[in-house]
Amino acid sequence: MDLFILAFAITVGVVLLNVKHQKRRSALLGHILGDSQIELLIEKLTQGYLRAVSETDAARRDQIWALIAKPETVVATEMKRFADDFAQVSAASARVSKLPVGLPWATQLPARFNFDLREALQMHARGIADAVANHAGRSLRDKAFVVSAEIFLMQHTCHWYCRSRHVASVRLFAHHQTRHDQVLAAVSPETRKAYGALTGF
């Protein structure tokens, strides 16, 4: 009975520490984002993509694509600003545990068990900007597919930082009905290679 009480007390303590840790990280991201409209812009952009690819009238579809061009550019600019602002965070605060579940002390493990969110956000900013610029010459539909994947992967990384890899994957599927491996397969080869080197996935 005493062992049960001890185990229960330890479990509660770990959960409370983890919640505090997660709240601190969410607050840090929120503070750096400040008054940025990046989340709203991303939502409008992804909705615009859905409208464009589902539109059957060619003239109307071309009009939607034209309207999407500016939000694409703004999202890329805002993402770069966010990555640059987060680059000022300390190394200790930027560590992300590679463990599937969140533990309050996991970021104190050796470097091979963590990655740096500062590097990850710079990678995501480059990936989104390159996809928007469309240097690869993709069709508008394929471009939208890659830009969306780059954005979803960035959101997954942010949720991973605030919570855990498992929670981030659950949220990704809940919000976009897409698995992490599907998103990773849809981003540009450059992003996929850099992501693998950084996170090990």
Side-chain angles (χ1 to χ4, degrees):
M1 187 64 177
D2 289 342
L3 285 177
F4 173 79
I5 293 173
L6 178 61
F8 179 76
I10 291 173
T11 300
V12 170
V14 169
V15 169
L16 291 176
L17 283 174
N18 209 34
V19 168
K20 183 178 179 179
H21 178 73
Q22 292 171 352
K23 285 183 177 180
R24 185 166 59 247
R25 292 191 154 217
S26 296
L28 176 60
L29 276 188
H31 173 72
I32 292 173
L33 280 169
D35 295 327
S36 171
Q37 298 295 306
I38 189 169
E39 292 184 2
L40 181 60
L41 287 166
I42 285 173
E43 183 179 353
K44 288 183 177 179
L45 181 59
T46 52
Q47 289 176 350
Y49 283 153
L50 288 173
R51 288 173 55 211
V53 299
S54 62
E55 180 57 59
T56 56
D57 182 81
R60 177 60 182 156
R61 186 168 58 247
D62 289 344
Q63 185 180 29
I64 296 172
W65 285 125
L67 291 172
I68 287 173
K70 184 175 180 180
E72 282 180 332
T73 303
V74 176
V75 164
T77 300
E78 288 293 310
M79 186 60 213
K80 175 59 175 170
R81 183 178 295 114
F82 173 41
D84 288 344
D85 288 345
F86 194 87
Q88 309 307 312
V89 168
S90 69
S93 297
R95 290 192 193 105
V96 185
S97 169
K98 293 180 182 180
L99 298 178
V101 295
L103 294 173
W105 56 80
T107 55
Q108 306 305 314
L109 293 173
R112 68 179 181 276
F113 295 106
N114 294 277
F115 67 90
D116 194 322
L117 186 64
R118 297 172 300 182
E119 294 180 39
L121 291 179
Q122 291 292 339
M123 173 199 67
H124 288 310
R126 287 194 301 272
I128 292 171
D130 289 347
V132 167
N134 199 21
H135 299 303
R138 300 180 180 92
S139 68
L140 290 175
R141 187 186 184 94
D142 288 346
K143 173 188 171 183
F145 186 68
V146 174
V147 172
S148 296
E150 296 279 353
I151 288 172
F152 294 168
L153 188 63
M154 179 273 294
Q155 291 175 324
H156 181 276
T157 299
C158 289
H159 287 144
W160 185 350
Y161 171 77
C162 292
R163 301 288 181 177
S164 69
R165 178 162 55 87
H166 174 71
V167 171
S169 296
V170 170
R171 285 188 173 184
L172 176 65
F173 190 81
H175 294 165
H176 304 296
Q177 291 72 57
T178 307
R179 299 193 313 271
H180 176 246
D181 62 313
Q182 292 175 316
V183 169
L184 194 55
V187 298
S188 71
E190 294 79 11
T191 295
R192 190 160 50 250
K193 181 180 179 180
Y195 183 87
L198 184 63
T199 69
F201 293 95

